Amino acid sequence: MKPLKIFCDVKLSSDDQLEFLKQSVSPHEILLPENPAASVLSPGVFDPKFKQADIAFGQPGLESILSSENLKWIQLTSASFTRYDTEEFRKTASEKNLKITNSSTVYAEPCAEHVFAFMLADSIRLPFSLKTRITSSSQNWADLRKSNRLLRNQTVLILGFGAIALHLIDLLKPFSMNIIGMRRNPKGKETVPIITKKDLPQTLGKADHVINILPDNEESTQFFDEKMFSYFKQDSVFYNIGRGTTVNQEALYRVLKSGKLRGAWLDVTDPEPLPPGHPLFDLENCYITPHTAGGFSEEKESLIRHFLKNLERYVQEKDLLDRVL
Amino acid sequence: MKPLKIFCDVKLSSDDQLEFLKQSVSPHEILLPENPAASVLSPGVFDPKFKQADIAFGQPGLESILSSENLKWIQLTSASFTRYDTEEFRKTASEKNLKITNSSTVYAEPCAEHVFAFMLADSIRLPFSLKTRITSSSQNWADLRKSNRLLRNQTVLILGFGAIALHLIDLLKPFSMNIIGMRRNPKGKETVPIITKKDLPQTLGKADHVINILPDNEESTQFFDEKMFSYFKQDSVFYNIGRGTTVNQEALYRVLKSGKLRGAWLDVTDPEPLPPGHPLFDLENCYITPHTAGGFSEEKESLIRHFLKNLERYVQEKDLLDRVL
């Protein structure tokens, strides 16, 4: 086999990492752009070198992909596929006979821990408890203690049943929760009860925790709207670690303001970040982290290792991991 | 058996709860004081009715206990035994042939979930992430993502190996952490490696998370002092859900200020609450909740059920649950 040319626009953390990548792919060759992508979620910048690439590792833009003459496989550095989930891209990928893989395996664990941290923080009313200087044995103190909840026996509904959901289910095991998943096409082999969209009104009515991991696509845009929130159980909690566009934020504001929801925990919004003074910032029961779910100290290293594992499979003509197209 | 008289100074949440308690203990009788204790952690007020009690359910003061003529068993509503862990009380208990049980089983789950929430919140830098309005793809944002940690493969040391520790170990199972316990008298049957005090310098040097659940007694006073903190690993995290008196707060302040510790999460302090302007409040890496660990919506109900279970065992002359004396 002729050495492959691998175009990599991933912004690595150190020269050591680049050196490790270069040595690990040898005899194949790494092509570096003038400017790497700003982050693992940002589109890469067009670079003439892309033309020669056999493989792309990063977030290549459509312009780059159209320019390519040899491209056979793109390894995305994101867990999502949103930027590429278009008619135009699918057509290009099909014409060029491209394989596309993402890095959802890498992000399943940190994303699951992020939403799990949200769930536990909500259960013990952490943000409020850290702020208050309440006095032990006061009535307010007794009320605060009483507003803490155990996860045991609560019902959690997970929308978007991919790698993150499966990892989260593992983490929740010791809590004896009632876990329900929603996916477009149930496979029948899931380890928890699965519903489809038509069952949502009923299931939302009994879910204490609603976890939104829906990807961004036509079907999911504004999925959580006024009507959907109307099905929620009183005092339930809403979490979004999928994509901000799946939620109608005005409807979320109203349902939070009304006191029907105990809280909303969002790692994603639309846009990101929300503009200063956005109404969601004013709500005491709306908690927003700036799309940091998925980040972790060994993130770049894990992305490289994931790519290397797939490169080995690619060379051996085995099925690729996390293949999306 | 003659109906027993049960003195109950627990401040119940509703008349329904009292009714439930009265009916459940029947034919035995509930004696109520003029004023119930302020909380499940506060000492009960002396009441002349105590004299006739066979059983006490709550937090009876020493004066009450000394006044008693028939008392045989005290069911405490706390997980701790601190208030009673004195020479004088032990002497009284021994002379009166008293059995003492606490409610540690009731508090194991909420306390374990509280410290677990702390661990996950620290791992994703939750308090900072909720405050910042950082912009995606900025360098600060990349740095924040990178400062997130996964729990997997980290080392956690738990000091005080009782019911809370055992429950916490269950919750941590899916994370594949290295869990080490410290207890005064290892039984040899523990499911995780156990060390004793003499091994602390070495073990603290490799622990990423140090969880203090030590009870308050002579041996544990100021257990975490300047010297003990000097053994801690760089970037480790300290948690206290035991008793505030086990920590030298000046030493903790210094080790947090120096940047050696990534953070400290305290549910207990000395005194409680800390006075306004206390230096620990000024530290960005010191997080304090107001002794709310253990509180949960069904707390009183669970305490009652725990007492009823023990009452049944008492009547049947079986070994009592959570017996401490």
Side-chain angles (χ1 to χ4, degrees):
Chain A
M1 185 188 228
K2 212 177 83 189
L4 299 163
K5 289 186 196 306
I6 303 163
F7 184 91
C8 168
D9 66 12
V10 184
K11 189 179 184 180
L12 298 174
S13 303
S14 66
D15 292 344
D16 283 357
Q17 263 180 0
L18 178 59
E19 212 39 56
F20 171 71
L21 176 63
K22 282 182 174 173
Q23 288 183 9
S24 303
V25 301
S26 172
H28 309 299
E29 187 191 346
I30 296 288
L31 305 179
L32 295 172
E34 287 293 312
N35 300 300
S39 81
V40 293
L41 293 175
S42 311
V45 180
F46 175 75
D47 191 290
K49 279 187 215 142
F50 200 92
K51 201 173 163 180
Q52 323 152 36
D54 301 291
I55 296 170
F57 174 33
Q59 293 279 321
L62 191 61
E63 190 189 357
S64 303
I65 297 167
L66 287 170
S67 81
S68 72
E69 296 178 349
N70 306 318
L71 196 65
K72 290 282 170 288
W73 167 39
I74 303 173
Q75 169 68 58
L76 300 172
T77 43
S78 51
S80 69
F81 176 55
T82 310
R83 183 172 303 120
Y84 303 91
D85 201 3
T86 64
E87 212 43 61
E88 191 183 6
F89 180 82
R90 285 177 188 273
K91 192 165 152 264
T92 307
S94 162
E95 282 166 8
K96 289 184 174 275
N97 205 15
L98 277 179
K99 289 178 173 149
I100 318 284
T101 54
N102 67 20
S103 294
S104 59
T105 302
V106 170
Y107 291 104
E109 189 171 7
C111 287
E113 289 193 17
H114 202 94
V115 71
F116 193 30
F118 279 176
M119 293 175 75
L120 281 162
D122 192 90
S123 296
I124 67 163
R125 313 243 355 248
L126 188 64
F128 179 77
S129 298
L130 289 176
K131 261 190 313 202
T132 183
R133 298 284 179 259
I134 221 164
T135 304
S136 300
S137 303
S138 66
Q139 185 57 46
N140 287 343
W141 177 78
D143 290 344
L144 175 57
R145 278 177 68 98
K146 214 182 151 181
S147 72
N148 287 354
R149 302 207 289 200
L150 297 177
L151 290 184
R152 177 167 306 278
N153 296 332
Q154 297 218 320
T155 296
V156 53
L157 171 63
I158 306 174
L159 296 97
F161 205 79
I164 297 172
L166 292 174
H167 196 83
L168 180 60
I169 289 170
D170 271 347
L171 301 186
L172 293 178
K173 252 175 209 156
F175 290 86
S176 309
M177 300 182 79
N178 306 314
I179 304 173
I180 301 164
M182 185 197 87
R183 70 189 310 182
R184 269 187 289 197
N185 304 305
K187 305 276 189 284
K189 288 179 181 171
E190 294 87 355
T191 56
V192 301
I194 298 291
I195 62 162
T196 58
K197 195 179 167 186
K198 68 172 171 30
D199 311 307
L200 272 180
Q202 200 198 342
T203 311
L204 282 169
K206 59 183 181 180
D208 302 293
H209 304 266
V210 178
I211 298 176
N212 174 11
I213 326 181
L214 293 175
D216 183 14
N217 55 40
E218 269 177 36
E219 208 179 322
S220 70
T221 303
Q222 306 265 313
F223 189 92
F224 285 93
D225 57 9
E226 187 108 35
K227 186 156 189 193
M228 199 60 90
F229 283 122
S230 77
Y231 301 132
F232 275 52
K233 181 178 173 181
Q234 178 67 36
D235 279 326
S236 56
V237 190
F238 177 67
Y239 308 84
N240 191 4
I241 54 159
R243 288 292 174 255
T245 49
T246 62
V247 176
N248 180 318
Q249 290 174 171
E250 290 71 37
L252 176 62
Y253 176 85
R254 283 191 293 272
V255 75
L256 281 169
K257 184 84 179 169
S258 77
K260 180 175 186 174
L261 261 60
R262 175 170 156 120
W265 293 77
L266 315 173
D267 186 56
V268 289
T269 54
D270 183 27
E272 282 175 18
L274 292 176
H278 191 282
L280 285 177
F281 286 141
D282 293 337
L283 292 173
E284 286 217 344
N285 55 349
C286 186
Y287 310 96
I288 303 174
T289 56
H291 205 139
T292 46
F296 60 112
S297 45
E298 308 88 11
E299 177 180 356
K300 297 285 170 69
E301 198 183 303
S302 296
L303 285 169
I304 293 174
R305 289 187 190 281
H306 183 63
F307 170 66
L308 293 175
K309 223 184 278 179
N310 251 351
L311 178 62
E312 194 181 327
R313 300 175 77 95
Y314 180 82
V315 170
Q316 296 172 354
E317 297 181 10
K318 284 186 183 166
D319 286 346
L320 297 180
L321 306 169
D322 293 342
R323 183 155 175 193
V324 283
L325 271 190
Chain B
M1 185 186 229
K2 211 177 83 188
L4 298 163
K5 289 185 196 306
I6 302 163
F7 184 92
C8 169
D9 65 12
V10 184
K11 189 179 185 179
L12 298 175
S13 303
S14 65
D15 290 344
D16 283 357
Q17 263 180 1
L18 178 59
E19 211 39 55
F20 171 72
L21 177 64
K22 281 182 175 172
Q23 287 183 9
S24 303
V25 303
S26 171
H28 309 299
E29 186 192 348
I30 296 288
L31 306 179
L32 295 172
E34 287 294 312
N35 299 298
S39 81
V40 293
L41 294 174
S42 311
V45 181
F46 174 75
D47 191 288
K49 281 189 213 139
F50 199 93
K51 201 172 163 181
Q52 324 152 36
D54 300 292
I55 295 170
F57 174 33
Q59 294 278 322
L62 189 62
E63 190 189 357
S64 303
I65 298 167
L66 287 170
S67 81
S68 72
E69 294 179 350
N70 304 319
L71 195 67
K72 290 283 169 287
W73 168 38
I74 303 174
Q75 169 68 58
L76 300 173
T77 43
S78 52
S80 69
F81 176 55
T82 311
R83 181 173 304 119
Y84 303 92
D85 201 4
T86 64
E87 211 46 59
E88 192 182 7
F89 180 82
R90 283 176 189 274
K91 192 165 151 266
T92 306
S94 162
E95 281 168 8
K96 289 184 174 276
N97 204 16
L98 277 179
K99 288 176 174 150
I100 318 285
T101 54
N102 67 21
S103 295
S104 57
T105 302
V106 170
Y107 291 105
E109 190 171 6
C111 287
E113 289 193 18
H114 201 95
V115 72
F116 193 29
F118 279 176
M119 293 175 76
L120 281 162
D122 192 274
S123 295
I124 68 163
R125 313 246 351 250
L126 187 63
F128 179 77
S129 298
L130 290 176
K131 260 190 312 198
T132 183
R133 298 284 179 260
I134 221 163
T135 305
S136 298
S137 303
S138 66
Q139 185 57 46
N140 286 344
W141 176 78
D143 291 345
L144 175 57
R145 277 176 69 97
K146 214 182 150 180
S147 72
N148 287 355
R149 302 206 291 200
L150 297 176
L151 289 184
R152 177 167 307 279
N153 296 330
Q154 297 218 320
T155 296
V156 52
L157 171 64
I158 306 174
L159 296 96
F161 205 80
I164 297 172
L166 292 175
H167 197 81
L168 179 60
I169 289 170
D170 272 348
L171 301 186
L172 293 177
K173 252 176 210 156
F175 292 86
S176 308
M177 299 183 81
N178 306 313
I179 304 173
I180 302 164
M182 186 196 87
R183 71 190 308 183
R184 269 187 289 198
N185 305 305
K187 305 276 189 282
K189 288 179 183 173
E190 294 87 355
T191 56
V192 301
I194 298 291
I195 61 162
T196 58
K197 194 179 167 185
K198 69 173 171 29
D199 310 307
L200 272 180
Q202 201 198 343
T203 311
L204 283 169
K206 58 183 180 179
D208 302 293
H209 304 266
V210 178
I211 298 176
N212 174 12
I213 324 180
L214 293 175
D216 184 15
N217 56 39
E218 269 177 35
E219 209 178 321
S220 71
T221 304
Q222 306 266 310
F223 189 91
F224 285 93
D225 57 10
E226 185 108 37
K227 187 156 189 192
M228 199 60 89
F229 283 122
S230 76
Y231 300 132
F232 274 52
K233 182 179 173 180
Q234 178 68 35
D235 279 326
S236 55
V237 189
F238 177 67
Y239 308 85
N240 191 5
I241 53 159
R243 287 293 174 254
T245 49
T246 62
V247 176
N248 179 318
Q249 290 174 170
E250 290 73 36
L252 175 61
Y253 176 85
R254 283 191 294 271
V255 76
L256 281 169
K257 184 84 179 169
S258 77
K260 181 175 185 174
L261 261 60
R262 175 170 156 119
W265 293 77
L266 315 174
D267 186 57
V268 289
T269 54
D270 183 27
E272 281 173 21
L274 292 177
H278 191 282
L280 286 177
F281 286 140
D282 294 335
L283 291 173
E284 286 218 343
N285 55 350
C286 187
Y287 310 96
I288 303 174
T289 55
H291 205 139
T292 47
F296 60 112
S297 43
E298 308 87 12
E299 178 180 355
K300 297 284 171 67
E301 198 184 303
S302 296
L303 285 169
I304 293 173
R305 288 187 191 282
H306 182 66
F307 170 66
L308 293 174
K309 222 183 280 179
N310 251 350
L311 179 62
E312 193 181 328
R313 301 176 77 94
Y314 180 83
V315 170
Q316 296 172 352
E317 296 182 10
K318 285 186 183 168
D319 287 346
L320 297 179
L321 305 168
D322 293 341
R323 181 155 177 195
V324 284
L325 269 191

